[in-house]
Amino acid sequence: MTPTNSAEQALDEALALVSRVPEGGVGDRSGPAGGGGTGAHRATGWQRARDTAARAGSGVRPRTHLVPLAAALGEVLAAPLDALTDLPSFDTSAMDGWAVSGPGPWSVRAGGDVLAGSERPEPLTDGEAVRIATGARIPADATAVIRSEHCREAGAQLFADRPVLTGQDIRPRGQECRSGDLLLPAGSLVTPAVLGLAAAAGYDELTTRPRPRVEILVLGDELLTEGLPHEGLVRDALSPMLGPWIDRLGAEVIGTRRLGDDPAGAAALLEAVTTSTADVLVTTGGTAAGPVDHVHPVLREAGAELLVDGVAVRPGHPMLLARVETGTPEASAVRHVVGLPGNPLAAVSGLLTLAEPLLRALAGRRRRPRYTAPVQGDVPGHPYDTRLVPVLLSDEHAVPLRYHGPAMLRGVAAADALAVVPPKGARSGQELEILDLPWASGGCFT
């Protein structure tokens, strides 16, 4: 891998040495959203920040709804999936061939074949055979099914080319489950295969937890929505990216808005924080302490509780997670705010650090299993903080990619995942935790 730009790394190290606060908790600001106190605070460790986001989502009282099968895809079962019938609900043929009764050879029954979906066939007498299709109901007194390729007709008789075992190629009633059996527990993700199982078991609707609702607020006066960057203005790279990304995380994006850095933008942000119908607000930019960074003042005014205020990760250090109580004591509700940095790759870091574990927990989905892969080549590290580096996954290694500065998307656009690089870096061959990107890992069905 090409080493990190030396000037950028030197700046990171200098800032870290100047601003480093001794290890500790999330912060020592007093009051909601860090209001009051000296203003100093400690960045949360990267893994601790992810755990905090997951706990925050798990602590919200879940909603449920009853939806048609097709509408349940990607949601989580809120109730166990119990079999409404035996599967199969009658003895069926597992193969195209012949249903036979007793030992052969067999006399071939004259008349129609037994087909899937047909009425109950006439019973077989001992020594009789009838042609049968896969999925068709087995005639009473049949002892086996012989596959077409394993037998031959000679006149009005049927001969087997190999030994016939009692019960062969017959799917007996209840082979897969009996009525009332637990098929899947509550908390299972509804995948296409689950839809098929539910339909087979007799369901038309499922009780699930709906997707968390997310509203995206892109902050900044310098953003263009079309054309080439010019005169100090840059293209808005976050609006086209965040909605589809969050959708692939299993959430429902109910809207994306752009807000200015002026007082009107701050007022609109406050209104959204306090009145939005979303479960989660995702903001971009404005999380630092500059003259037009409104997120912290707005959260203070809204009485929000800061759960995470800065994370010891590069890029993405000034990300945050806040909790806002809304409604009345009789009908209280909780809304979370995920504040992402404005630089594109830093925003990606915030998505994977805070938004993904929060949204998975709100949706009732299990956390992804953690896994590692050996890195190919030495990877420079930050003196104190975790680094998230875009990588390609080969059969044997995680291969770091170039163009991984906070404002760059070129690296992550070509990546399969981000590698979690510990402080001070990693040596070639060292096992690093891997964070799959949603399009590389099957989206919301994983």
Side-chain angles (χ1 to χ4, degrees):
M1 173 189 173
T2 301
T4 303
N5 177 278
S6 58
E8 177 187 322
Q9 187 169 2
L11 178 60
D12 268 351
E13 293 180 5
L15 289 174
L17 289 169
V18 170
S19 63
R20 188 67 174 171
V21 180
E23 291 279 342
V26 171
D28 60 2
R29 298 184 188 185
S30 60
T38 64
H41 69 283
R42 305 178 180 93
T44 305
W46 179 77
Q47 186 57 55
R48 183 177 176 188
R50 283 173 60 82
D51 293 341
T52 298
R55 286 196 302 271
S58 299
V60 175
R61 188 174 189 176
R63 304 190 312 274
T64 63
H65 60 180
L66 184 66
V67 293
L69 286 185
L73 184 64
E75 298 187 348
V76 167
L77 293 177
L81 189 72
D82 295 329
L84 302 180
T85 182
D86 297 345
L87 284 181
S89 56
F90 48 82
D91 294 349
T92 62
S93 176
M95 292 289 168
D96 292 331
W98 297 83
V100 299
S101 178
W106 303 268
S107 60
V108 175
R109 174 190 287 178
D113 300 338
V114 181
L115 303 178
S118 61
E119 296 181 359
R120 184 187 299 272
E122 291 295 323
L124 289 176
T125 60
D126 190 41
E128 190 177 27
V130 65
R131 192 181 296 274
I132 193 167
T134 302
R137 186 193 297 263
I138 296 291
D141 299 323
T143 54
V145 169
I146 307 174
R147 303 182 188 192
S148 297
E149 61 269 27
H150 295 165
C151 59
R152 54 189 168 81
E153 288 182 78
Q157 285 195 305
L158 181 75
F159 296 87
D161 294 335
R162 59 185 64 189
V164 177
L165 303 177
T166 300
Q168 73 178 30
D169 287 326
I170 294 176
R171 293 187 62 210
R173 176 173 181 163
Q175 181 186 52
E176 186 170 3
C177 66
R178 289 291 184 181
S179 181
D181 283 354
L182 173 65
L183 301 178
L184 290 170
S188 299
L189 180 66
V190 180
T191 65
V194 171
L195 292 181
L197 175 63
Y203 284 86
D204 299 316
E205 299 174 314
L206 292 175
T207 301
T208 59
R209 293 178 61 165
R211 300 170 185 264
R213 300 185 302 266
V214 177
E215 185 175 9
I216 300 169
L217 303 176
V218 179
L219 313 181
D221 291 330
E222 75 281 13
L223 303 176
L224 294 169
T225 59
E226 59 184 14
L228 295 174
H230 64 274
E231 299 175 353
L233 302 178
V234 298
R235 279 295 297 270
D236 173 14
L238 294 177
S239 294
M241 178 177 72
L242 291 181
W245 195 310
I246 290 170
D247 180 73
R248 293 299 293 267
L249 294 179
E252 176 191 0
V253 178
I254 63 173
T256 299
R257 288 191 282 158
R258 297 177 180 85
L259 304 181
D261 289 327
D262 55 3
L269 178 60
L270 177 61
E271 181 181 15
V273 168
T274 53
T275 67
S276 173
T277 60
D279 302 300
V280 178
L281 285 178
V282 174
T283 67
T284 70
T287 55
V292 293
D293 289 333
H294 297 307
V295 174
H296 281 94
V298 163
L299 292 176
R300 282 196 295 272
E301 188 170 351
E305 175 189 4
L306 271 181
L307 305 177
V308 175
D309 187 11
V311 178
V313 66
R314 306 294 168 139
H317 181 272
M319 67 182 74
L320 62 82
L321 172 63
R323 183 178 187 271
V324 184
E325 293 276 0
T326 62
T328 65
E330 295 77 21
S332 63
V334 173
R335 181 177 304 117
H336 287 92
V337 179
V338 176
L340 305 178
N343 277 324
L345 188 57
V348 168
S349 174
L351 278 176
L352 295 177
T353 301
L354 297 178
E356 180 177 6
L358 174 68
L359 291 173
R360 289 185 73 90
L362 286 172
R365 296 169 62 189
R366 293 185 291 272
R367 298 183 71 172
R368 290 186 185 277
R370 296 175 66 177
Y371 77 97
T372 64
V375 68
Q376 180 175 297
D378 294 348
V379 187
H382 187 273
Y384 305 107
D385 296 346
T386 300
R387 285 187 68 211
L388 301 183
V389 176
V391 294
L392 278 175
L393 300 177
S394 71
D395 290 340
E396 298 180 353
H397 295 94
V399 183
L401 297 171
R402 300 173 59 192
Y403 306 109
H404 48 69
M408 298 180 181
L409 287 175
R410 185 172 171 182
V412 74
D416 299 316
L418 297 187
V420 182
V421 181
K424 299 181 173 60
R427 307 294 292 178
S428 183
Q430 182 174 335
E431 295 280 339
L432 298 181
E433 183 176 351
I434 300 298
L435 304 178
D436 286 326
L437 296 175
W439 51 87
S441 58
C444 66
F445 305 128
T446 58

